Amino acid sequence: MSAPGIRGKLLAVASVFLLVPWLGYEYIRELERFLRQAQDDSLVATAQAVATALHDRPQLFGFAPDRSLGSLRDMLDTVAANDAASAAAHSEATGEIQQILRGLERATSRIWVIDRAQQVRARTGSLRPRADAEAGAAELLERPFAWLEAAVLSPLYRMILRQPRDDFVDDAPPSYGRELDTALSGVLARGTRATTDGYAAVAFAVAPVWAGDKVQGVVVTEQTTNSVLRQRNLAFERLFGLLLLVVLAGAVLLFVFASRLGRRIRALRDDARAAVDAEGRIVQPLASSASGDELGDLSREFAAVLRRLADYAHYREHLASRLSHELRTPIAMIRSSLDNLQLSANAAEARVYVERAHAGLLRLNFIFDAMSEATRLEAAIANTPRERFDLREVVAGCVEAYRTIYPAARFAPALPAAAVPVMGNPDLVAQMLDKLIANAVDFATPETAIEVNLQVAGRHAVLRVANKGAALPEGMQARLFDSMVSVRHAGSGSPHLGLGLYIVRLIAEYHQGTARIANRDDAAGTIVTIQLPVAEA
C-alpha cells in the first residue's frame, strides 16, 4: 500500500479548517444569547415605562374591571386574544388605562395590565408579527446565489437550526406563575413560557405598579422569541455560507498548489533518474529550475551536486590514463637502463645506465610523494590550529625567499604598508604561496616579472599572483582547482599530477576564503586571486 502523496497530506491538513464553521456556529449561539438578553431588557424597559405611567394613580384600579376581558384564571372565552383587531375592540371600554396603552398597539409585543385580583384591566398589542416583518425573509431571495441557498443550504440549515413558526396557537390563559406572584410582591420579574401548542417561546417581563407603598397591580409585556431566532438564523446562514465558500476556495487552492508542487517534484525525480544510467554513470546534466522558492533551490543544488559528481567521475575515469602517462617515462628509463646494463661489459657505460635507472626511481618517488602529499594535507588541515597572524609579513618573507630559490625569475611585489591580520595558519599560507609561485615560474615568459599583489578590500584581504605567458584554454578556469587536473604539455621535463592548485584551494577554504584563476585582461598570462577574510580587531 503506497503512502499518501503531497496532495492527500495537504488536504488532510486543510481539513482542520472544517473547524471554522463549527466556531462560527458557536459564535452565532453566543450572538443568540446576547439577542435574547437584549429582548429581555427591552421587555423590562417597556414594562417599567408603562408601570411608571400608572404609578400613584389608584383611581385607575378603583372601578370594576371590564368583564369582557376576564381574568387570567378564566379567559377561555377570549379565543381571539392574539388578534390585534379583537384586542382593540375589547380595549375601547378600558378608559384611561387603555388610552395610555394605545400608543403601543402597533408593537410586536403584547401588554397586559392586571390588578391584585389578577383581573385584566387592559390589554393591547399582538404576539404575531406584522406583514412587513416578513420583508427580511424576501431579502434572502435577492442575494447572489440565492438559488444555491434555497436548493442546497436551506435544507441543511433547517436540519441544524430551529426555525421560527408564526402559525402558533396561544388561545389558553397565559400562565406567569411565580413571576406574577413575585411582581405582586413588589419585585421586578422576567421569564419565558411556551405557547399552547409549543410551536413558539414567549419571553415576558412583569413590573409592579405602585400606589404609595402598596402594589396595586402589574404590567406584563411579552413577545415571542421568533424575531431572535430569525436574526440568529439569518446571521448563521450568511456567516456559514461565507465560511463554506472560503473553506472550499482554500481547499481548491491547496489542491491546485499541491498538484503543481507534486508535478514539479515528479519532474525533478524523473530528471534525476534520467541523468544516471543503470551502471551509475552520469549521462546528462540535471535541468535546474529558475524558480526562486525552496524547490527551485533544491533543484539547483541537485544540479550542482550532479555536476560535481560528473567532474569527479571524469577525474576517476582519466586517473588511470594520467598515472600511466606519468609513470610510463620513468619505468621505461629503468627498463632500458637495466637492459643496457645487462648487455654492457664496460664499467663506465654501466655506471651511466645505473644513474639513469636511479633517476627513474627518483621520478617515481616524486610522483608517489606528490600523490601522498595531497592526501596527507587534506587530513592535516582538519586538525591544524588557528592563530592570528599578519598576512603581509608572511607574503613579504616568502617573496624574499623566492628570490633565492628562483634566481632567474623576477618578482614585483606590491604590499600594503599596514599589517593585514588574518585568522588561520601562516605555514599553510606559505605552502599555498609555494604552489602559486611554482606555477607562475613554470608558465611565465622569460625575462618577465611575476607580480605578487596584496591589498585589503572591505573586510577581505585579496592576494593576487600574476604572470605573463600563455593564456588558459577555454573552460579550464573552473576545473584547474580540482585534483589531478593540469594544462601542462605532455613533453614537460618533470612530472606534474595537477595537484598544486588543488592544494591551493584546500588551504584557501581552510581559511574560509576562495581561490579563482583567470586570464589577464590583455590575454597575455594568468592571474590567481585568493580572497581571505580579515580578522576582527
Side-chain angles (χ1 to χ4, degrees), residues 412-444:
L415 307 178
V420 181
V422 172
M423 287 298 297
N425 188 275
D427 294 333
L428 289 179
V429 172
Q431 188 175 359
M432 178 179 67
L433 275 172
D434 291 344
K435 303 299 181 183
L436 294 177
I437 296 299
N439 269 0
V441 170
D442 289 343
F443 287 96

Side-chain angles (χ1 to χ4, degrees), residues 43 109-110 112 127 174 176 193 202-204 220-224:
L43 292 174
S109 60
R110 187 166 58 184
W112 306 78
L127 292 179
Y176 300 118
R193 66 177 182 86
V202 179
F204 62 88
V220 180
T221 57
E222 58 182 0
Q223 186 181 39
T224 64

Side-chain angles (χ1 to χ4, degrees), residues 109-227:
S109 60
R110 187 166 58 184
I111 302 176
W112 306 78
V113 178
I114 305 170
D115 60 15
R116 292 192 62 85
Q118 299 190 13
Q119 296 292 321
V120 178
R121 292 286 180 165
R123 182 182 71 248
T124 189
S126 173
L127 292 179
R128 298 187 183 279
R130 300 189 309 274
D132 58 351
E134 300 297 331
E139 296 179 0
L140 179 63
L141 300 178
E142 298 175 0
R143 299 203 306 268
F145 307 105
W147 59 271
L148 178 62
E149 295 187 25
V152 179
L153 297 180
S154 293
L156 178 63
Y157 296 152
R158 285 193 291 270
M159 292 175 57
I160 300 176
L161 303 173
R162 176 187 172 190
Q163 302 297 316
R165 296 185 57 173
D166 292 328
D167 58 343
F168 59 86
V169 176
D170 194 35
D171 54 2
S175 175
Y176 300 118
R178 54 184 181 147
E179 288 84 1
L180 180 61
D181 296 335
T182 300
L184 288 174
S185 66
V187 179
L188 180 70
R190 66 179 73 185
T192 304
R193 66 177 182 86
T195 58
T196 304
D197 55 9
Y199 285 172
V202 179
F204 62 88
V206 188
V209 178
W210 294 87
D213 57 352
K214 295 182 179 180
V215 177
Q216 58 183 356
V218 295
V219 175
V220 180
T221 57
E222 58 182 0
Q223 186 181 39
T224 64
T225 60
N226 287 350
S227 61

Side-chain angles (χ1 to χ4, degrees), residues 391-433:
L391 180 61
R392 177 193 176 281
E393 181 180 349
V394 173
V395 174
C398 289
V399 170
E400 290 301 320
Y402 299 145
R403 297 183 192 277
T404 304
I405 298 174
Y406 306 104
R410 290 196 304 114
F411 295 93
L415 307 178
V420 181
V422 172
M423 287 298 297
N425 188 275
D427 294 333
L428 289 179
V429 172
Q431 188 175 359
M432 178 179 67
L433 275 172

Side-chain angles (χ1 to χ4, degrees), residues 315 319 322-323 326-327 361-378 431 435 482-485 488 494-504 506:
Y315 154 70
L319 176 61
R322 183 175 295 278
L323 285 178
E326 296 293 343
L327 295 176
L361 290 174
L362 290 177
R363 190 164 184 172
L364 283 176
N365 187 66
F366 175 82
I367 293 173
F368 293 136
D369 287 345
M371 293 177 61
S372 61
E373 178 187 8
T375 303
R376 289 195 305 270
L377 184 62
E378 289 184 37
Q431 188 175 359
K435 303 299 181 183
D482 294 336
S483 177
M484 300 193 75
V485 176
R488 296 178 186 271
S494 58
H496 292 277
L497 300 180
L499 296 173
L501 291 181
Y502 173 68
I503 294 175
V504 169
L506 291 179

